[in-house]
Amino acid sequence: MSSKVPVDLLPIREEGPSYIGGKFSDDFTIPTEYNLPVSSIEKIPDNFDSADPTQKFAGIGLEIASTIIGSIISHPCIVIRRQCQVNRKATKYHLSPFTLIPVLMRLHSRQGCTCLWKGCSGIFILRGCSTVLETFLAEATPFPKEVSSNSSLKQLSQHLLLKFIAFGVLTPFNCASLVETVQSDIASEKPGVLDCLKEGVCRLLKLGTPRSTRLLPIWKLVGPTALFGVSTYILSSLIQSVLHWFHEMKLQNNLGKSPYDSQSSAVTYIDNLSILHFSSFIASVVLYPAETILHRLYLQGTRTIIDNLDFGTSVLPVISTYEGVVDCFHTIVTEEGASGLYKGFGGLILEYAAQALILKVAQIVFHEIESIVRPAKKPLSEHST
């Protein structure tokens, strides 16, 4: 028996596709939404074995995991964070997640579990409207919905302009969705599934019940909303691309070959989701003050009653008289200090900490399942003759 391995039995290393901008392809593609929905699962490289039964299982399992992260784990944190952001009278800023835990327990005991999932349907509808609107704009205009590494500066500018228009058009619906998310269940009627769309149209056309004179017109909110959306989109996309590049370089240095040849589909999925969530977290941290200002302007004059998260046992109305973005910023810093721009920041930390925990658990589970399901590879020495 020869100790040498025949040439025709040696594994052929294929160059994997570039991993840039969040997808395994030769194209640079940035995420489709500035709030980075966690349900977006990235594609598996073409050089993975399509006959691998764990590949399909990993895709289905991680779609379920990402849905759990997005709709079950993250939404209560979003509700709490937004209620803190719009409460200018709050004495507790909840900059740490530890101060929020007793408040969550009190809300749960007094109002039940559903109080932490209010407005969930409106957020999903808003995401769907965003996708439909971007698709329509891409079909009706020469603006591309996606860009690649080979795209020209003009195409990139047109793509960002498409995003800017989409964010601006959805401004009244963002306002309606925010109201559904922060209003107290014990002091307000529960909204219907499609009330987010109806209230958005009423806000745009100034229809429906009489509102306060402090209500800002939509045209004053369109520009800041679109600018915030595009800024978050660009920042998170750049961070995600850089992290993917570093991750690929690290794997190539450690393995000495294409990183996709040795990674399983489940590991690749989870690595991709981890980078997606981390880039979203960094962008959210950097632009958190801008989000606080926008949410206060959205809610002004809507006569919304929110839960008092200083104690979690009472409610209070939201009353403010901001004239615009600049006035809102100066008023918050003057009356509440610079830390007032970060009210509810503990909710953001709690949200992404929960996501990281779920991803870590998913990584362990899929590793164990793959070690059982995937047949052990025979060493090359067994093929020698």
Side-chain angles (χ1 to χ4, degrees), residues 6 11 19 45 63 65 115 121-122 169 173 183 187 195 246 257 264 290 344 348:
Y19 198 176
E63 285 181 7
C115 71
S121 61
V169 171
F173 304 101
Q183 65 183 2
D195 278 3
F246 276 111
K257 57 181 179 179
S264 66
L348 183 71

Side-chain angles (χ1 to χ4, degrees), residues 27-28 144 146-156 159:
D27 294 336
F28 170 80
E146 296 181 353
V147 291
S148 68
S149 57
N150 298 323
S151 298
S152 63
L153 182 60
K154 178 181 178 181
Q155 291 175 322
L156 179 59
H159 172 72

